[in-house]
Amino acid sequence: MVTLPLGTARRRSLPHGLVSLGRIAAFLFRAPPSAFGLVVLALLILMAAFAPLLATHDPYVQDLQSTLQPPSGAHFFGTDELGRDIYSRIVHGSRITLTIIFVVSIVVGPIGLFIGTVAGYYGGRVDTVLMRLTDIFLSFPSLILSLAFVAALGPSLNNAIIAISLTAWPPIARLARAETMTFRSADYIAAARLQGASSARIIWKSIVPMCLPSVLIRLTLNMATVILTAAGLGFLGLGAQPPLPEWGAMIATGRRYMIDSWWLVTFPGVAILLVSLAFNLLGDGLRDALDPKQINKR
Amino acid sequence: MEPILSVKNLGVRYGGSAEWAVRGVSFDLGRERLGIVGESGSGKSTVGRAILRLLPGAEVTADRMRFEELDLLDIPERRMLKVRGARMSMILQDPKFSLNPIERCGDQIAEAYRTHVRATKRKARAKTLEMLEAVQIREPERVYDLYPHEVSGGMGQRVMIAMMLMTDPDLVIADEPTSALDVTVRLEVLRILDGLVRERGIGLVMISHDLNLVRNFCDRVLIMYAGQVVEVLDARDLDQATHPYTQGLIAAQPRIGGDRGPLPVLQRRDSWVEGAA
Amino acid sequence: MRRRVIPDIAGQAGAILVTLAGLLILTFVIGRIMPTDPVRAIVGEDATREVYENVYRQLGLDRPVWQQFFFYVRDVLTFDFGTSIRTGQPVLQDIARVLPATVELATFAIVIGAGLGIPLGVAAAVNKDRWPDHVIRIASLMGHSMPIFWTGMIALLIFYAGLGWVGGSGRMSQFYIGLVPERTNFLLIDSALAGQWDVFRSAVNHIILPASLLGYSSSAYITRMTRSFMLDQLNQEYVTTARVKGLSRNKTIWRHAFGNIKVQLVTIVALAYGSLLEGAVLIETVFAWPGFGQYLTSNLLIGDMNAVMTCVLVVGLIFIGLNLISDILYRVFDPRTR
């Protein structure tokens, strides 16, 4: 009991969020799988940041003299059918992957938060309507719905990102709503209401910050699916278009030469697998680090 | 008389914990009713589960832990399966949770029987109906086919008692058998249990936090504090308790017709725990 | 308790109707925002102005949007989904022809996925935080993380091109195509009915690899959910009761704890079955499997929106149907909801 005042005093000296983030990171690093996930993601970010330095070749320049070369000292992962260096293309492809992750997160997070908190806060008819809408989107497998959107919008990387975002928000909204329902009747919300705070203000100032941690975790967990969907769209020719070095699209073009030149499909595939595995391991670790029941709810 | 159960210097430590949840607990049990009393967290339930060897992952040590001719400390699990539920059993606290929600009450009782006795389904059913009558259930045929969520708490606990006495065990541990029940049915359930235990000469260990209840239904009382036994008394001598903790427990019981001043706060001293630093 | 069932069913039906309406609106909207000109897709690039206008009016594009939606709903309700531009056949007929191949693949896969995932999930829960749990967790996360189109290619490379253990692309060897009369379009059933055991063997040889991959990826989800359901149950008091009765650990786990998660597992397996359709889109492309997924993607690429939107609608309907079925099973099998 004596330690309690000490604990709160120390917590007050640092922003609350930072302390708990630090604690979560420490927890994650203690478990080998989630530590692996963190390391892979750190490498991915570094790779994207320093892509021009890390790449040994220009990812777009064709060299028809040396097509379909097996991996060697000159080309770490070999070359493709147009003589482009696969290693350099994968390195530059990490930028595309990160862009997808980043854009989808900043689109999906706010949409999901907005719909979820509004539905949860107002309840009643608003809730019913918004949750029905969410259910309709949830009643499709996300890849099929993305496919339909991309088909309508036309195949391109941007449209793929839009399509994925349009299909990825419902689980976030569900989660934010569930969280909001637990806070809605809390005394401090009532207190804010008695002081005359508007609903918008209460949602923005009191409810959104409370939902944020679990929404972030859920986003992390969903990133593996987002990456696989994006790669799948790229593979089907509906995502990033050639000559962009998107990993899924690279596999699609490499497919024709697969039997004789295994390296064309192997390395981009390993890259996708590693990144999505990293997100899954990280999400799994986060789930353990925080209350498992809470995160499992959709 | 040869005791049914003899425990000497029992200690239990849960996996990963440095603290002993139970230590230095010793007692003998004949064909009598022994109460174990203590606050929550005093280790009384742990003692019950240690005797049944149902503490996976926990470290159990003792100088002696004998049940009739068996040394509970080192008989293999395979033989333990023939003892548990046949010769010793345990009544759990809350029938809402301790009965399997998706099986009919009667089938659950019959399962206890058929696990240990080779019997046809028809025979097991007949035995079950008999047992349901023995716990004073008026329409055994109907109750047999009910699911646990369809019976009341008192009825559920009678089903539990029927299940645990089905095989005529020599030892029954009752772990807070009535604390989840409505006050109005507690006495009734206890009387049924008490009657069956006396009638069949079963040794009973009644684990409870309720001093009055134990005083009325047990021959002897063991008082536990922080994992240790602080005092053993005959139930009728409870008022002559010498240990300050027991005295505190007794003083903390509200009494009809007693003075209306505030009840004394229960004292807790580290010095009561032997070997505490 | 019995009285509550009727309003429950009414509420359920209402919810389904609303979801159906939403499904129609969604497909209608997607169909309308597409940049490709549906008239051009039909009449071709060098049609005269009159022809163009004619088709424009035929498609009802000159009417207000709400009328167009009304016509769309009417068409759907009368099962008129138009003709596919690519095949020239009614879309519904096309889908009926390709769907069995996918259902066959998905069913084979779910048997593998559930057969693998459920026992592994139970094993992981029982051995929580010990090495089997860790191994199972990593294995299932791998299944969850692999891009299935890529794994499919690698598996083809190894097991077909390299080792020659399985058949390659397609549902059977080229050699057997057309040998078996198409009765159900489920090749395994058709060939068995016809007594063509060579074809049957060839079909099994071809389905085993894509089905295993799909099964593995869906077992990841099934394992995880089984584990968490099982952990909930193992902490329940009735499990202790079963042990006190003298049941062995195994019997307690399988008869009592597992008995209590069966109903939940039905839902999970139904959901997993639905999402297999998603994996099928990709794996069918890799394995040249002439099913629903391939039909959908090939129409996507040429912008045959009639066919695409109908496919989306069908998938949505299958999902709603699976949800409904698992809901009904829940009611039937869980005594607490009866």
Side-chain angles (χ1 to χ4, degrees), chain A:
Chain A
M1 286 300 110
V2 191
T3 52
L4 189 69
L6 271 178
T8 42
R10 195 188 48 192
R11 215 174 294 152
R12 213 168 285 141
S13 63
L14 264 175
H16 176 75
L18 268 184
V19 173
S20 48
L21 259 188
R23 226 178 278 146
I24 291 169
F27 182 93
L28 291 175
F29 263 111
R30 234 173 297 140
S34 47
F36 172 82
L38 277 179
V39 169
V40 169
L41 291 183
L43 285 178
L44 178 74
I45 292 169
L46 288 178
M47 199 154 115
F50 301 108
L53 296 177
L54 289 170
T56 51
H57 295 71
D58 186 306
Y60 298 107
V61 166
Q62 305 178 3
D63 177 3
L64 295 175
Q65 302 298 311
S66 54
T67 58
L68 298 175
Q69 296 287 313
S72 65
H75 301 282
F76 299 147
F77 295 165
T79 62
D80 65 8
E81 77 283 3
L82 296 171
R84 295 173 297 195
D85 181 57
I86 291 179
Y87 164 74
S88 305
R89 285 177 69 74
I90 288 179
V91 169
H92 279 272
S94 66
R95 292 187 159 187
I96 297 177
T97 304
L98 268 189
T99 310
I100 295 172
I101 293 169
F102 182 72
V103 178
V104 169
S105 303
I106 61 169
V107 174
V108 164
I111 295 182
L113 259 179
F114 176 76
I115 292 185
T117 51
V118 167
Y121 180 79
Y122 288 104
R125 197 154 292 174
V126 178
D127 182 37
T128 315
V129 170
L130 288 178
M131 280 306 112
R132 267 294 136 229
L133 183 72
T134 317
D135 281 349
I136 291 165
F137 275 84
L138 270 180
S139 68
F140 281 108
S142 60
L143 181 69
I144 306 260
L145 194 54
S146 319
L147 279 177
F149 276 122
V150 177
L153 298 169
S156 78
L157 180 58
N158 288 341
N159 288 343
I161 292 176
I162 293 172
I164 293 171
S165 305
L166 280 173
T167 59
W169 63 267
I172 307 287
R174 276 277 188 90
L175 175 74
R177 170 177 174 267
E179 294 271 295
T180 307
M181 304 272 269
T182 61
F183 304 133
R184 186 172 61 175
S185 48
D187 286 344
Y188 68 88
I189 302 287
R193 208 176 293 144
L194 285 176
Q195 284 176 345
S198 67
S199 296
R201 192 182 162 81
I202 292 174
I203 291 177
W204 178 243
K205 288 275 181 185
S206 306
I207 292 180
V208 167
M210 295 298 283
C211 296
L212 216 50
S214 47
V215 164
L216 286 178
I217 291 160
R218 184 74 211 194
L219 273 175
T220 315
L221 276 171
N222 282 5
M223 272 317 134
T225 317
V226 166
I227 288 169
L228 290 182
T229 309
L233 287 175
F235 171 73
L236 292 173
L238 294 165
Q241 297 297 307
L244 278 182
E246 198 271 331
W247 298 341
M250 285 169 73
I251 295 178
T253 47
R255 194 178 156 208
R256 260 168 285 153
Y257 311 94
M258 179 175 79
I259 301 284
D260 301 310
S261 316
W262 55 269
W263 54 92
L264 253 65
V265 295
T266 305
F267 293 110
V270 171
I272 298 171
L273 178 63
L274 276 180
V275 175
S276 92
L277 185 63
F279 272 111
N280 270 329
L281 289 172
L282 194 64
D284 214 50
L286 278 174
R287 224 193 304 232
D288 286 350
L290 298 136
D291 181 13
K293 286 261 144 95
Q294 214 175 354
I295 311 300
N296 274 335
K297 268 187 225 145
R298 284 230 276 201

Side-chain angles (χ1 to χ4, degrees), chain B residues 115-238:
Chain B
T115 305
H116 299 286
V117 184
R118 277 179 72 107
T120 58
K121 276 203 174 134
R122 182 191 291 258
K123 169 111 190 292
R125 185 181 168 97
K127 279 290 279 187
T128 303
L129 292 174
E130 218 172 86
M131 197 66 220
L132 281 173
E133 244 169 289
V135 293
Q136 299 176 21
I137 283 174
R138 243 167 277 138
E139 304 168 85
E141 291 274 358
R142 188 179 69 86
V143 173
Y144 189 104
D145 287 328
L146 292 180
Y147 285 99
H149 71 275
E150 295 169 323
V151 302
S152 66
M155 177 100 74
Q157 202 58 324
R158 281 188 265 176
V159 167
M160 186 79 195
I161 292 171
M163 190 187 322
M164 290 311 171
L165 298 186
M166 193 68 185
T167 52
D168 259 318
D170 295 329
L171 167 67
V172 169
I173 298 166
D175 189 352
E176 305 262 14
T178 56
S179 44
L181 304 183
D182 269 359
V183 183
T184 46
V185 296
R186 275 187 193 174
L187 267 186
E188 199 187 339
V189 169
L190 269 178
R191 282 218 183 87
I192 293 167
L193 177 63
D194 191 53
L196 288 167
V197 166
R198 280 165 187 267
E199 188 182 297
R200 302 175 178 210
I202 297 170
L204 175 74
V205 175
M206 169 98 84
I207 296 167
S208 178
H209 62 269
D210 187 341
L211 206 58
N212 278 333
L213 186 151
V214 170
R215 182 204 294 246
N216 292 329
F217 282 94
C218 292
D219 306 313
R220 265 193 315 145
V221 184
L222 212 100
I223 289 119
M224 283 188 74
Y225 174 72
Q228 299 190 333
V229 176
V230 293
E231 196 165 18
V232 186
L233 289 164
D234 276 355
R236 59 182 117 74
D237 301 334
L238 213 55

